[in-house]
């Protein structure tokens, strides 16, 4: 964590539940490329000379993993061919770079995912949609403040929608019932309940 480098007497348990973010301005694309090659555990992004470095919290990771488990369960249930791309670095060279919390291609393996997922605790915002717009990612989900929102790229603009176009008939309202349980429950029971709902 960034605060470890500063030798501050801060409650480390509380920090573990919050994302830590470092923003570096006046940076170049070359600076960003060097950081992405360093194989850190941080999530990196670049836009307009600003590099954002995020150290995900434990809660962040719990929500991201729960969303991934539910997407995988949906694909298995409906026999939808899927390719998990995780936090693969997405680039539009010299313009934008982004590592989603997780991402997926459907039907065939692609360089740019069909779906990217962002979990926002104390880092990032839906302003990150600008980065995904440059990358031409068709659908982006944002989890924040115990809600999830779906955005689809329509005519070069992201529009909030109620239901996913990647996972047909899956609504944000239905998904969030299961996602938030990831902070306190085992994925095993959450996935079982989710599949039962899909089967109704």
């Amino acid at each position: 964590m960034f605060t470890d480098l500063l030798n501050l007497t801060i409650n480390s348990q509380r920090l573990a539940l919050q994302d830590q973010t470092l923003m570096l301005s006046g940076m170049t694309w070359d600076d960003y490329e060097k950081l992405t090659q360093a194989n850190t555990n941080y999530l990196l992004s670049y836009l307009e000379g600003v590099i954002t470095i995020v150290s995900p919290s434990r809660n962040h990771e719990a929500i991201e993993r729960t969303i991934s488990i539910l997407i995988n369960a949906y694909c298995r249930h409906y026999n939808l061919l899927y390719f998990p791309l995780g936090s693969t670095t997405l680039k539009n060279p010299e313009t934008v770079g982004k590592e989603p919390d997780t991402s997926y291609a459907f039907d065939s393996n692609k360089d740019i995912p069909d779906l990217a997922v962002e979990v926002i605790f104390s880092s990032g915002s839906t302003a990150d949609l600008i980065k995904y717009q440059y990358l031409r990612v068709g659908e982006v989900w944002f989890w924040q403040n115990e809600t999830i929102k779906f955005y689809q790229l329509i005519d070069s603009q992201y529009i909030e929608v109620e239901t996913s176009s990647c996972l047909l008939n899956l609504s944000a309202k239905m998904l969030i019932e299961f996602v938030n349980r990831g902070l306190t429950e085992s994925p095993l029971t959450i996935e079982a309940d989710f599949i039962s709902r899909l089967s109704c």
Side-chain angles (χ1 to χ4, degrees):
M1 290 189 281
F2 308 133
T3 48
D4 293 342
L5 302 176
L6 301 175
N7 249 350
L8 299 176
T9 54
I10 294 176
N11 185 322
S12 60
Q13 288 183 332
R14 181 169 52 81
L15 281 177
L17 303 178
Q18 297 281 335
D19 295 346
Q20 293 187 55
T21 306
L22 180 63
M23 298 182 76
L24 307 173
S25 59
M27 308 303 284
T28 66
W29 180 258
D30 193 47
D31 295 328
Y32 171 71
E33 289 275 38
K34 287 175 183 173
L35 277 174
T36 60
Q37 291 164 16
N39 292 324
T40 68
N41 291 324
Y42 302 128
L43 295 171
L44 306 171
S45 65
Y46 175 89
L47 180 66
E48 296 177 349
V50 177
I51 294 175
T52 303
I53 307 172
V54 178
S55 175
S57 66
R58 177 177 174 174
N59 284 343
H60 183 127
E61 297 285 16
I63 291 295
E64 180 277 316
R65 289 306 306 144
T66 302
I67 292 172
S68 294
I69 286 164
L70 296 175
I71 291 172
N72 296 346
Y74 177 100
C75 292
R76 287 194 304 270
H77 182 77
Y78 289 109
N79 200 28
L80 173 62
L81 201 61
Y82 70 105
F83 299 85
L85 303 178
S87 294
T88 299
T89 303
L90 309 175
K91 297 177 184 176
N92 184 338
E94 305 294 334
T95 305
V96 65
K98 186 79 178 87
E99 292 175 359
D101 283 299
T102 193
S103 59
Y104 288 82
F106 300 101
D107 296 321
S108 63
N109 206 350
K110 307 174 180 87
D111 292 331
I112 296 296
D114 298 303
L115 171 65
V117 178
E118 289 288 325
V119 174
I120 302 169
F121 265 94
S122 55
S123 66
S125 70
T126 51
D128 279 342
L129 282 172
I130 295 168
K131 296 171 186 173
Y132 286 115
Q133 197 171 5
Y134 278 115
L135 294 163
R136 308 291 300 165
V137 174
E139 184 165 317
V140 183
W141 297 356
F142 279 90
W143 180 97
Q144 186 175 27
N145 297 328
E146 298 187 357
T147 64
I148 195 163
K149 294 184 178 181
F150 295 173
Y151 294 90
Q152 286 174 15
L153 190 62
I154 300 170
D155 295 330
S156 299
Q157 297 291 324
Y158 281 105
I159 307 296
E160 186 179 348
V161 295
E162 292 298 319
T163 357
S164 172
S165 64
C166 293
L167 307 184
L168 298 179
N169 300 318
L170 180 65
S171 70
K173 184 178 179 181
M174 184 268 224
L175 183 63
I176 200 61
E177 293 178 34
F178 299 93
V179 172
N180 289 338
R181 291 168 56 184
L183 292 171
T184 55
E185 297 181 40
S186 165
L188 194 63
T189 56
I190 299 168
E191 181 178 2
D193 291 347
F194 180 67
I195 291 170
S196 293
R197 176 72 70 85
L198 294 178
S199 302
C200 291

